[in-house]
Every structure is written in structure tokens, then in C-alpha cells.
Amino acid sequence: MKIKGKHFQTIWLSEESDEIVQAIDQRKLPFVFEILDLATVTDVYNAIRDMAVRGAPLIGITGAYGIYLALLAYNGNKLNNYLDEVASYLKSSRPTAVNLAFAIDEVVKTCRNSTIKDAVSKALKKTTELKEKEVEYCSRIGNHGLALIEGIYKEKKRPVNVLTHCNAGWLACIDWGTATAPVYKASQKGIPVHVWVDETRPRNQGARLTAFELAEEGIPHTIIPDNTGGHLMQHGEVDLVIVGSDRTTVSGDVANKIGTYLKALAAHDNQIPFYVALPSSSIDWGITDGMSEIPIEQRDPSEVGFIEGWAKNQIISVRLTPEKSKTANYGFDVTPARLVTGLITEKGICKADKKSITTLFPEKKYLWQK
Amino acid sequence: MKIKGKHFQTIWLSEESDEIVQAIDQRKLPFVFEILDLATVTDVYNAIRDMAVRGAPLIGITGAYGIYLALLAYNGNKLNNYLDEVASYLKSSRPTAVNLAFAIDEVVKTCRNSTIKDAVSKALKKTTELKEKEVEYCSRIGNHGLALIEGIYKEKKRPVNVLTHCNAGWLACIDWGTATAPVYKASQKGIPVHVWVDETRPRNQGARLTAFELAEEGIPHTIIPDNTGGHLMQHGEVDLVIVGSDRTTVSGDVANKIGTYLKALAAHDNQIPFYVALPSSSIDWGITDGMSEIPIEQRDPSEVGFIEGWAKNQIISVRLTPEKSKTANYGFDVTPARLVTGLITEKGICKADKKSITTLFPEKKYLWQK
């Protein structure tokens, strides 16, 4: 998608050197637009852990590039062991997102039992394939979700109000985004759409990233505190909720940014459709109870006690809380399948239950039956 | 309650001059503790509008002092007209809180058809009475709510986890608070209690004021983003929700700080008791449908786009959002009575329905039957 009118993806191999991966540093948006050079596996680990790159699909591709960069630096003689060590190290950078493990495993599988020279080229080829597939999948998610927006537009004959939480936009992916893809597709088709953007405390990915994306694409949008969505839904100001997912169980339970569950409850209470847009790589085929089986990471409490903003021509961190007070910072919550109207995937829309999901993805049978 | 070990109320007549009212400037807490002098009716209007004083009960008493200060400055000859004009002006400073209109009307009623000299002393006497009544009512609310906390403690034999939203603490009242009064009473009785404090965007009254209160009183507490409560409730980390109310209908619909409705939904979904603590002065006896009959004020959108915090030894305002993005700022939402377990009032606890409320307050019959 566009930044200042120029097309960007979130991560790419440098044009200067094929030993350097470049990515948009998302920690500084929307205040400063900067490109980050990733030259080592440690650079990749840090970029994921520190959320310079974030969003389940992007984390996956970044991890895949991490294997490639690790192989460039390899000079030992037990390649398979090395691959396992690097994979394990990279996976530990963020525990919740299933895409990270998925993408890393795909690349490692391809490289195993190769010469190092072959492994390097296979890793890059596989990463590029995975990346192109992510873009293609997001585009398809957009087309499937577009039908929902178009349906509402035809019925109501006024701009369609979509509410989204956090950033499941193109910045979380490679391009298009998941939750935002239907919005971009609708806009490109000339359907008027307005997005309510949850600011998404504590890291404000909505206010900082989703709003930035939408602004750069020229999509009408309004940033709201996370407290606001319920009130808007009570008053008919939301037609459709679309969020992303960091991990969804085969039974349709959805782990996503903390606060998603509250919006799902409000949508359910007001009979507003609540959709989750996700590539099938975010589906965890091995688990069925999101509440008990998905680990919820607790992040640094200082992310709640301090916030970054723009003042005096720089990014400044200010303290929000009394010095004597503790803070807590849970990264995600799990929205039970019963509150989810449907999943928008690259293969189409299905209900959030095991039967519908497995019917849409029969080729994954080997995963959910093991 | 205490600040740095010394007892304070939120508003009082200056010890130096009985023509000056003093109040804690709540805009600067928890970073700076400052006392504000209110010498004119305009000072009072601005203090309410700019939220130097806030919280339904405190706004009411501040408004009452406003009539007193206006009378001190009066030198015309149509006192009743003047009282009406001043009352109307003061009421317009915040439209949602019913206490403001209630307290102002009480003082005006007392002063009507008096000489100016009598009116001045009557206004001060009435204001002091109303103020003492607020303190007494909050104390009683605390005692009634204490029983709920004590019951949970006896059953679970571990610290009781209370979640609260915004600040319905003593800073919102004169002393004790409404939602916090049961917590303070429990703590004084030696019952271990821990409070989850919703930070309460956009103005962060939870992170700034409730946390400050609890810290100064030595009550264990943890500040969380507004997104977090649902997750905590899903995982058994919340025993009881207590919030305040800016206006509650005689049928039990509760207008309170934006986001309250979302917590009520989550409490309901997880079978966690959800109580609203309020003096009967916050009950609007004349309306039965909160959703359609309570006006929800929209505040300055810049309260969402900018935030104040502490850095470099000063309060600094930083921008949180892209310059091209709009923000919206709804002040309150309405929690339907069906989600409210009960109301904790100065006369005891009742269900959130017309029959229970009117049975508890038969003396208000003239109001709900008109």
C-alpha cells in the first residue's frame, strides 16, 4: 500500500545488498518514517521482540528471513543442529503468534540436509514464496470481506461504518492487511467506507499504525478510545466489526490483541456482525480450547505506565501513573467462538466452528487429526 | 481521606476568607498537588467545565458553592431572576450529571424570595448541609458495600479483587467516594483487598486519580489498560466490579464514564457481580430509558489525540495520533439495567429495577410519579 503516494511493503531484501533485509521501523510511526536494516539473526530477534516489526503474518516472514540471515553467517559443520538452534531462538522472540513458528518451520524444513550454499538459496526462495503467498492471501481475504461491506452498502445506501481493533492492517502483514484488506478493496471499488479505529492501549497500534495506514490511503476514519465501541454499537454507528487474529483454534476461538473480547461482547449484544480476518496460517489446527490452550504473554508493565507521543519535534515518553502504583500488561485475550460471526480467510468466509473451518480446509486434515 | 498522611476533602471554604472556596486541582494529579481558589461564579463554571473538579457528587457541591459566590457578588434588585440566570449558567457547564442540577436547585430554592443578606447565609448553610450529607451518604454506601466484600472474603479466604472504572473515589465526591468507599471501609476493617484500576481513557481518571487515592491510602492496586478487564474476568482474577454513576434512571439504567458498558458485558458473561455505587442524588426519578433519554456529551476530540504525562519534571502534553486523522470523544455510555447486579446506595443495596429502587426510596414517590 501507499506511504506518501509511493508503494511499500513492510519488509524486503535490500536493493543494495542481498545480505541485508530491510523493514519499516513501526516503533516510530506515525511520527517518523524510518527503514531498519536487519543484517543478523540477532537483529531479527530484536526487531520482533521489540516490535519494530509486529503483526502475526509479518512476524512470520521476518522470522523466515531470520533463518536466511543465519545461514549467511553459518560456518560450522552440523547444519541441521544449527537450523534447530536458530529456529528455537527465533521462535522465542514472541510466544503467542503461531505464524512465526509456522514460517520458520517451513524454511527450516526446506533447508535441512542441504549443503550450506544450497540452504542459503533455498531459504531465500522459500521466504520469498511465503511472502508472496501472504500478499496473495491478504488480497483474497480482502475480496471475500469486500462482499460483506458491499452487501451492507447496497442495503443501507450510505457509507459503511467498520470498527477495527489494533492493527491488522498491511503494516501487520506484507501488503493489504487482513482486517483492513476488505476496507481497501471496498474503497478501490468506490464503495464509501468509514473506519472507527480503536486506539488500542497500551501500545496504541490503532491510533499510531491503523490510522496512519488509512490516512496515507485516504480512507475516512476516526480514532476512538478503546472504551467507545460499545456506545457506538448501541447507537447504530457500527455496521460491521473486523479484527485480525494472532492465533485462532480449529474450533474458532480467537486470540487477538487484548480488548478484542470486549468488542465481540458488545457486537453480540447489539446484533452487529463480528468477523475475524486471517490467513489460514494463523489457525492452530492442534488445539480446540483457546481459553486454556493459548498462552497469553505478559509484556513489560512500563508499556502501561509510560506512553510515547510527539512533542517538541521529537518522540517523548511520558509517565501516566503515580510512582507508587503498579501496572499490568496482558498482551492478548481470547474471544470464544460463540461470539464470532465468521472467519474471513483466503479461501472464503466460514463460521467459527470446527466443522465449518475443517470443511473449508480439507487439505489440513493431517494437522487437526493428529 | 489522606494525602501524604494528612486528611483532606475535595472542596472547602477557605480558612483565610469566607469569600473564597478552595478545591484540589484534579487536572494536575497525580503529578502535582495544587489547591485552586474559586472566587467568582465564572471560576466555578470554568473549574467544572475544565474538570479541575469532576465527579458527579463533587460537581454538585461545587455548583452549590457557585450560587453562594454569585450571591456575594450580587448588587441588583431582582434576586429571583438573578438566581435563575446563575443557576442556568452553572448547569450548562456539564450536561450529563444530574447532581449538578439537583444541588443548584436545592440552594436556589432556599434562597428565593430572601433579602440578599439572608440569601448569602442561606446559600452557604445549604451548601454545607448538602456537603455533609454527601460525606455521610458515601460513608453509608461504604458500609453497605463492605458487606459484599466481606462476604467474598469469608468465602474465598484470600484478598478480594475489585475492578473499578474511572474515578468514583473520594476525589469525585467530598470524602470516601462511592465505588471506592466499600474498599476503604474493608481495608479499615482489616479485610485484604486488591483493586484493578481501569486507566480510563481518554482522560485517564483511573490511572491518575483512583490510583493516586489508593496509593495515598496504602491500598494494594494495579493499573490496567481499559482493554484488560475482560481477560481478567475470564480467568477468575476479578471477584467484584464496583463503578460509580453520573446518572441512573429510576429503572436502573446506568450512565457512567465511557467504557463502563463493556465491563458490565464482560462481568455478565463471566457471572461476576457488577455493582453501581451511588448516592440517591444521582438517580434521575423522571426518566426510565437511559439509552434514549440521557444526553451523552461529546467532549473536545483533542482529549483523545493528545495526552498529558510527566517528563522532565513537568506535565507535558504529547500527540498520540497522525496529524491527518480525526478523533472522537464520547464522555459516557449507558449500561442497561439487565447487566447490573445491584445498586449500592446510602439506604442499602437494591436491584437495578424500578420496583426495587422505588421500594427503597418511597419518599421520592412524588418525583417518579409526576
Side-chain angles (χ1 to χ4, degrees):
Chain A
M1 308 303 288
K2 291 198 288 284
I3 295 176
K4 292 178 187 164
K6 187 185 163 198
H7 181 257
F8 272 92
Q9 292 190 336
T10 47
I11 192 165
W12 61 92
L13 201 62
S14 165
E15 286 180 11
E16 316 284 305
S17 158
D18 60 9
E19 299 196 356
I20 290 176
V21 175
Q22 295 187 306
I24 298 170
D25 187 344
Q26 303 197 18
R27 290 169 300 188
K28 299 187 178 179
L29 293 175
F31 312 116
V32 178
F33 178 71
E34 262 181 27
I35 309 288
L36 202 64
D37 282 353
L38 307 174
T40 69
V41 67
T42 310
D43 289 348
V44 168
Y45 178 92
N46 291 342
I48 296 173
R49 187 198 56 192
D50 301 342
M51 297 178 75
V53 296
R54 23 68 55 206
L58 172 56
I59 288 174
I61 301 303
T62 309
Y65 273 123
I67 301 290
Y68 164 70
L69 291 174
L71 288 169
L72 287 177
Y74 178 70
N75 58 5
N77 57 9
K78 289 185 175 169
L79 184 64
N80 287 356
N81 292 357
Y82 179 71
L83 283 167
D84 290 339
E85 277 165 27
V86 170
S88 162
Y89 169 67
L90 283 171
K91 285 179 193 177
S92 70
S93 57
R94 289 289 298 276
T96 304
V98 69
N99 303 55
L100 179 60
F102 174 84
I104 289 171
D105 288 344
E106 286 284 300
V107 177
V108 165
K109 204 165 61 187
T110 309
C111 299
R112 213 176 277 285
N113 305 320
S114 303
T115 64
I116 176 63
K117 192 168 164 241
D118 281 358
V120 166
S121 72
K122 282 178 181 173
L124 185 58
K125 183 160 172 280
K126 189 69 189 175
T127 299
T128 308
E129 273 172 34
L130 289 171
K131 187 175 144 178
E132 283 167 3
K133 205 160 89 172
E134 284 294 350
V135 175
E136 173 62 22
Y137 282 11
C138 284
S139 172
R140 289 190 205 168
I141 287 168
N143 291 331
H144 295 303
L146 162 63
L148 297 173
I149 295 176
E150 197 165 19
I152 294 167
Y153 178 60
K154 282 183 177 162
E155 185 196 327
K156 305 206 172 172
K157 297 182 178 61
R158 55 153 179 77
V160 177
N161 288 302
V162 177
L163 184 142
T164 192
H165 190 68
C166 197
N167 177 260
W170 75 267
L171 289 169
C173 303
I174 307 303
D175 215 337
W176 290 110
T178 54
T180 54
V183 169
Y184 293 134
K185 295 279 184 177
S187 173
Q188 290 186 2
K189 205 176 169 181
I191 299 169
V193 57
H194 166 263
V195 183
W196 295 108
V197 180
D198 274 358
E199 64 174 347
T200 319
R201 285 280 293 148
R203 290 182 66 95
N204 276 23
Q205 293 95 331
R208 296 183 63 163
L209 302 178
T210 304
F212 173 79
E213 280 190 19
L214 294 169
E216 293 297 322
E217 284 289 320
I219 311 274
H221 64 284
T222 308
I223 300 166
I224 48 175
D226 302 305
N227 285 321
T228 312
H231 172 73
L232 294 174
M233 292 187 210
Q234 286 178 312
H235 291 270
E237 300 284 344
V238 178
D239 297 308
L240 176 66
V241 181
I242 312 179
V243 298
S245 173
D246 292 80
R247 189 190 294 210
T248 289
T249 70
V250 70
S251 54
D253 292 340
V254 175
N256 191 43
K257 183 60 55 193
I258 190 86
T260 302
Y261 166 56
L262 294 171
K263 293 301 138 62
L265 284 168
H268 188 259
D269 199 45
N270 294 285
Q271 292 98 48
I272 291 164
F274 182 94
Y275 281 91
V276 180
L278 77 173
S280 58
S281 55
S282 295
I283 297 175
D284 190 331
W285 303 93
I287 61 176
T288 53
D289 182 10
M291 284 278 289
S292 65
E293 294 183 279
I294 299 178
I296 301 297
E297 71 185 81
Q298 283 203 51
R299 300 184 53 83
D300 186 343
S302 72
E303 290 183 354
V304 176
F306 292 79
I307 197 167
E308 280 182 351
W310 187 253
K312 301 174 185 176
N313 273 314
Q314 58 185 313
I315 296 175
I316 292 180
S317 172
V318 297
R319 182 162 57 75
L320 298 177
T321 55
E323 284 188 41
K324 295 178 191 170
S325 299
K326 273 199 314 178
T327 55
N329 187 7
Y330 297 83
F332 302 88
D333 62 23
V334 173
T335 299
R338 66 185 151 88
L339 300 175
V340 179
T341 310
L343 308 179
I344 310 172
T345 78
E346 73 273 15
K347 289 187 73 179
I349 297 176
C350 70
K351 285 193 192 159
D353 61 48
K354 186 165 181 180
K355 190 170 165 228
S356 307
I357 295 170
T358 55
T359 302
L360 192 61
F361 292 95
E363 70 278 16
K364 300 287 184 181
K365 195 168 182 177
Y366 72 100
L367 286 169
W368 78 75
Q369 286 199 335
K370 73 179 174 187
Chain B
M1 308 302 290
K2 291 198 289 283
I3 294 176
K4 293 180 187 163
K6 188 185 163 196
H7 181 258
F8 271 92
Q9 292 191 336
T10 46
I11 192 164
W12 61 90
L13 200 62
S14 164
E15 287 179 11
E16 317 283 305
S17 158
D18 60 8
E19 299 197 354
I20 291 175
V21 174
Q22 294 187 307
I24 298 170
D25 187 344
Q26 303 198 18
R27 290 169 299 188
K28 299 186 178 180
L29 294 175
F31 312 116
V32 177
F33 177 71
E34 263 182 25
I35 309 288
L36 201 64
D37 282 353
L38 307 174
T40 68
V41 67
T42 310
D43 288 348
V44 168
Y45 178 92
N46 291 342
I48 297 173
R49 188 198 54 192
D50 301 342
M51 296 177 76
V53 297
R54 21 70 55 205
L58 173 55
I59 287 174
I61 301 303
T62 309
Y65 273 122
I67 300 289
Y68 164 70
L69 292 173
L71 288 169
L72 287 177
Y74 179 70
N75 59 6
N77 57 9
K78 289 184 176 172
L79 185 63
N80 287 356
N81 292 357
Y82 179 70
L83 283 168
D84 290 339
E85 276 166 29
V86 171
S88 163
Y89 168 67
L90 284 171
K91 285 180 193 176
S92 69
S93 57
R94 291 287 299 276
T96 305
V98 69
N99 304 55
L100 179 60
F102 174 83
I104 289 171
D105 287 343
E106 286 287 299
V107 177
V108 166
K109 203 165 61 187
T110 310
C111 299
R112 211 176 278 284
N113 305 320
S114 303
T115 64
I116 177 64
K117 193 170 162 233
D118 282 357
V120 166
S121 71
K122 282 178 182 174
L124 184 58
K125 184 159 172 281
K126 189 70 189 175
T127 299
T128 307
E129 273 173 33
L130 289 171
K131 186 174 146 180
E132 283 166 3
K133 204 161 90 171
E134 284 293 351
V135 176
E136 173 62 23
Y137 282 10
C138 284
S139 173
R140 289 189 204 169
I141 287 168
N143 291 331
H144 296 303
L146 162 63
L148 298 173
I149 295 176
E150 197 165 19
I152 294 167
Y153 178 60
K154 282 183 177 163
E155 185 196 328
K156 306 207 173 171
K157 297 181 179 61
R158 55 153 179 76
V160 177
N161 289 302
V162 177
L163 184 142
T164 192
H165 190 69
C166 197
N167 176 259
W170 74 267
L171 289 169
C173 303
I174 307 302
D175 214 336
W176 291 109
T178 55
T180 54
V183 169
Y184 293 133
K185 295 279 183 176
S187 173
Q188 291 186 0
K189 204 177 170 180
I191 298 169
V193 58
H194 166 264
V195 183
W196 294 108
V197 180
D198 275 357
E199 64 174 346
T200 320
R201 285 280 293 148
R203 290 183 66 96
N204 276 22
Q205 293 96 331
R208 296 183 64 163
L209 303 178
T210 304
F212 172 79
E213 280 191 18
L214 294 169
E216 294 297 322
E217 283 290 319
I219 311 273
H221 64 284
T222 307
I223 300 166
I224 47 174
D226 302 306
N227 285 321
T228 311
H231 173 73
L232 294 174
M233 292 187 209
Q234 285 177 314
H235 291 270
E237 301 283 345
V238 177
D239 297 308
L240 177 65
V241 181
I242 313 179
V243 298
S245 173
D246 292 80
R247 188 190 294 209
T248 289
T249 69
V250 70
S251 55
D253 292 340
V254 175
N256 191 41
K257 183 60 54 192
I258 190 87
T260 302
Y261 166 56
L262 294 171
K263 293 301 138 61
L265 285 167
H268 189 259
D269 199 45
N270 293 284
Q271 292 97 50
I272 291 164
F274 182 94
Y275 281 90
V276 180
L278 76 173
S280 58
S281 55
S282 295
I283 298 175
D284 190 330
W285 304 94
I287 61 177
T288 53
D289 182 11
M291 284 277 289
S292 65
E293 294 182 279
I294 299 178
I296 301 297
E297 71 185 80
Q298 283 204 52
R299 298 184 53 84
D300 186 342
S302 73
E303 291 184 353
V304 176
F306 293 79
I307 197 167
E308 280 182 351
W310 188 253
K312 302 175 183 174
N313 274 313
Q314 58 185 311
I315 296 175
I316 292 180
S317 172
V318 297
R319 182 162 56 78
L320 300 177
T321 55
E323 284 188 43
K324 296 179 193 171
S325 298
K326 271 199 316 178
T327 55
N329 187 9
Y330 296 83
F332 302 88
D333 62 23
V334 173
T335 298
R338 67 186 150 87
L339 301 175
V340 178
T341 310
L343 308 179
I344 311 172
T345 77
E346 73 273 13
K347 288 186 75 178
I349 296 175
C350 70
K351 286 192 192 157
D353 59 49
K354 186 164 180 179
K355 191 172 163 222
S356 307
I357 295 171
T358 54
T359 302
L360 193 61
F361 293 95
E363 70 277 17
K364 300 285 185 182
K365 194 168 182 177
Y366 72 99
L367 285 169
W368 79 76
Q369 285 199 334
K370 73 178 174 188

